[in-house]
Amino acid sequence: MSRGPRAASARRDWGDVEDGCDVLHVDMDAFFASVELARRPELRGLPVIVGGRSRGVVLSATYEARAFGVRSAMPMGRALGLCPQAVVVPPDHTAYRDVSRAVMQAFRDVTPIVEPVSVDEAFLDVSGARRRLGPPTRIGAALRERVQAEHGITCSVGVASTKLVAKLASTHAKPDGMMLVPAAASVGFLRSLPVGALWGVGERTEEALARRGIRTVAELGDVDVAWLRSFLGPSLGGHLHDLAWGRDHRSVTPAHEEKSIGNETTFPQDVRDREVVATTVLELADRCAARLRAQSLVARVVTVKVRTSDFRTVTRARTLVSPTDTGQEIGSVARELVAATDLRGLAVRLVGVRAEQLEERRRAAVQLTLDDATTEATEVVRAAEEALDAVRARFGATSVRRASAVTRSTTTRPTGELSSE
């Protein structure tokens, strides 16, 4: 994806002709932070950072915090150095996933051709919705109003004839705006941008171009494509030259089926107590299982990831006798895998659990164990965990926890940065 730097001098009005502009890029504004503000309105107007305070990175920041230079993926220590008065809020990934799922469903109510890029942004092809809902800008405005009304957060929309231009238009519309770039204005819009706006231009490519005097898309488009290929390579050189002239043939592609579901967490301090690690694994397994049940999926493989204090990462996996969506079974296997991992006496920095080889629960072939056949143990466990899902949905993700997790020392509790992969 493009890093999409905003051009300060770029025009905001490129015309109002919507013919051929069937691609929308919808991007939530400071998504994690916005969800937190919707839940905690008393924080509105303050610089708010979402992330772990003791260590980790910034996951999201309000625009008040960004005014001090705080950016996503920035080390938290540096962010607080730039903005020491910021309010740091621990992330709640369950809440973010719930809002994301609802927003994506709102997009699919408009068109089935939705391509999520991440939890907070997606491309939409609205060519088939014009007759029913009107021109793309009207559709974009309706989506913005719905997201605001239902979730209390804002989004920005780019409307264009290609994915590249739609993405860059939404960047220039931020925050809480919409920008249309007519098909005939696409090249002019692109030529007003820095070269780093193009897909495929990372830091190294941008530096290589700058050494040769190319800093804008206009300068890139005006050079000989053979010369570009000589130092960028035949594929990248030709690709960037095409993009500079608005030649982007990528279509909006509906999301593929999810192939795996995982959660991981980084401890605030490296942990040597294996029981603390094991308990955390069980919590992660519970979260994986809840996500499986929410999507009516089961998993045939359980994988664990352990990162030690020397940053070595070890993964272990096991195929199950029968696919499952229960935290009890996933947690039991994950705990055994972690226990059997040779950590060479080192402390644990990060641990993760992943459910893989997913399939729809109603279609999965289940091989009953002796316990299943005689006591229906699996269905009893599943029913109990579904009841917990309902409690957590109503009262919050942390309203019900394992007893071992509640009694654990707060000095070794994870930061709450349970990232979804």
Side-chain angles (χ1 to χ4, degrees):
M1 293 298 296
S2 162
R3 292 179 291 119
R6 186 196 298 256
S9 60
R11 288 159 41 194
R12 295 294 296 269
D13 184 359
W14 291 87
D16 57 4
V17 178
E18 301 187 43
D19 294 346
C21 293
D22 295 321
V23 179
L24 270 59
H25 181 262
V26 187
D27 195 356
M28 304 298 112
D29 299 321
F31 179 54
F32 292 175
S34 295
V35 173
E36 295 298 344
L37 293 184
R39 300 197 300 174
R40 311 180 192 194
E42 70 275 9
L43 297 180
R44 292 190 183 279
L46 300 176
V48 175
I49 300 174
V50 177
R53 174 174 283 277
S54 57
R55 79 181 185 181
V57 299
V58 173
L59 299 181
S60 183
T62 60
Y63 288 93
E64 290 82 1
R66 295 183 186 194
F68 290 87
V70 177
R71 296 291 182 270
S72 297
M74 177 181 288
M76 184 61 73
R78 182 183 174 194
L80 292 176
L82 293 170
C83 187
Q85 72 273 35
V87 179
V88 179
V89 178
D92 183 345
H93 289 280
T94 299
Y96 309 149
R97 282 194 299 272
D98 289 344
V99 175
S100 174
R101 191 177 296 115
V103 169
M104 296 298 169
Q105 183 56 54
F107 297 165
R108 293 186 178 96
D109 289 344
V110 170
T111 172
I113 309 176
V114 176
E115 181 182 344
V117 179
S118 64
V119 295
D120 61 347
E121 60 177 309
F123 289 103
L124 290 72
D125 182 335
V126 298
S127 56
R130 278 177 174 261
R131 179 175 296 181
R132 178 169 55 95
L133 300 174
T137 55
R138 185 183 300 172
I139 295 172
L143 282 173
R144 292 178 58 222
E145 290 176 4
R146 178 174 174 178
V147 170
Q148 172 73 53
E150 294 182 358
H151 305 289
I153 63 177
T154 62
C155 60
S156 298
V157 178
V159 183
S161 58
T162 65
K163 291 171 71 174
L164 170 66
V165 177
K167 165 69 175 177
L168 296 174
S170 71
T171 297
H172 283 78
K174 283 184 170 291
D176 190 19
M178 181 166 59
M179 182 173 177
L180 163 68
V181 180
S186 294
V187 174
F189 170 66
L190 288 169
R191 288 174 69 85
S192 71
L193 303 178
V195 72
L198 296 181
W199 281 335
V201 180
E203 290 184 6
R204 291 186 179 180
T205 301
E206 189 171 8
E207 291 170 359
L209 291 169
R211 287 196 298 269
R212 293 163 174 84
I214 300 173
R215 292 179 173 81
T216 68
V217 174
E219 291 168 343
L220 177 67
D222 289 342
V223 301
D224 181 67
V225 66
W227 179 68
L228 279 178
R229 288 172 172 155
S230 69
F231 68 91
L232 292 179
S235 178
L236 181 59
H239 171 66
L240 294 183
H241 196 265
D242 281 344
L243 293 184
W245 288 101
R247 296 188 287 266
D248 178 17
H249 305 296
R250 308 160 199 245
S251 60
V252 178
T253 305
H256 299 292
E257 292 184 4
E258 199 159 13
K259 296 182 178 179
S260 66
I261 285 177
N263 294 88
E264 63 184 39
T265 189
T266 301
F267 292 102
Q269 296 91 31
D270 295 341
V271 173
R272 292 187 176 277
D273 188 335
R274 296 293 286 265
E275 188 56 35
V276 170
V277 176
T279 302
T280 303
V281 165
L282 295 179
E283 291 186 6
L284 296 171
D286 281 340
R287 290 176 179 253
C288 279
R291 292 173 62 193
L292 288 171
R293 291 189 296 273
Q295 300 179 54
S296 298
L297 298 172
V298 290
R300 289 190 174 274
V301 175
V302 175
T303 299
V304 297
K305 176 168 73 172
V306 182
R307 182 170 298 152
T308 49
S309 54
D310 63 349
F311 287 87
R312 180 179 68 109
T313 301
V314 179
T315 59
R316 296 288 185 268
R318 181 183 299 173
T319 300
L320 306 175
V321 174
S322 294
T324 187
D325 61 359
T326 70
Q328 178 172 296
E329 186 167 2
I330 294 172
S332 176
V333 172
R335 185 168 180 164
E336 290 175 6
L337 289 171
V338 170
T341 302
D342 181 10
L343 302 181
R344 301 184 298 179
L346 296 173
V348 174
R349 177 182 178 84
L350 173 150
V351 67
V353 177
R354 176 171 289 280
E356 300 178 331
Q357 292 191 20
L358 309 184
E359 54 189 299
E360 292 183 26
R361 184 173 186 269
R362 62 187 177 87
R363 296 182 179 178
V366 177
Q367 179 178 336
L368 294 179
T369 65
L370 180 60
D371 284 343
D372 293 332
T374 57
T375 67
E376 298 181 340
T378 299
E379 287 305 313
V380 170
V381 170
R382 189 175 191 280
E385 294 191 6
E386 284 183 323
L388 294 180
D389 292 342
V391 172
R392 288 165 176 154
R394 181 173 182 181
F395 298 106
T398 59
S399 58
V400 180
R401 302 180 64 199
R402 291 180 179 270
S404 55
V406 175
T407 57
R408 209 168 60 206
S409 167
T410 56
T411 62
T412 53
R413 275 186 61 181
T415 60
E417 295 176 44
L418 297 172
S419 64
S420 304
E421 301 176 282

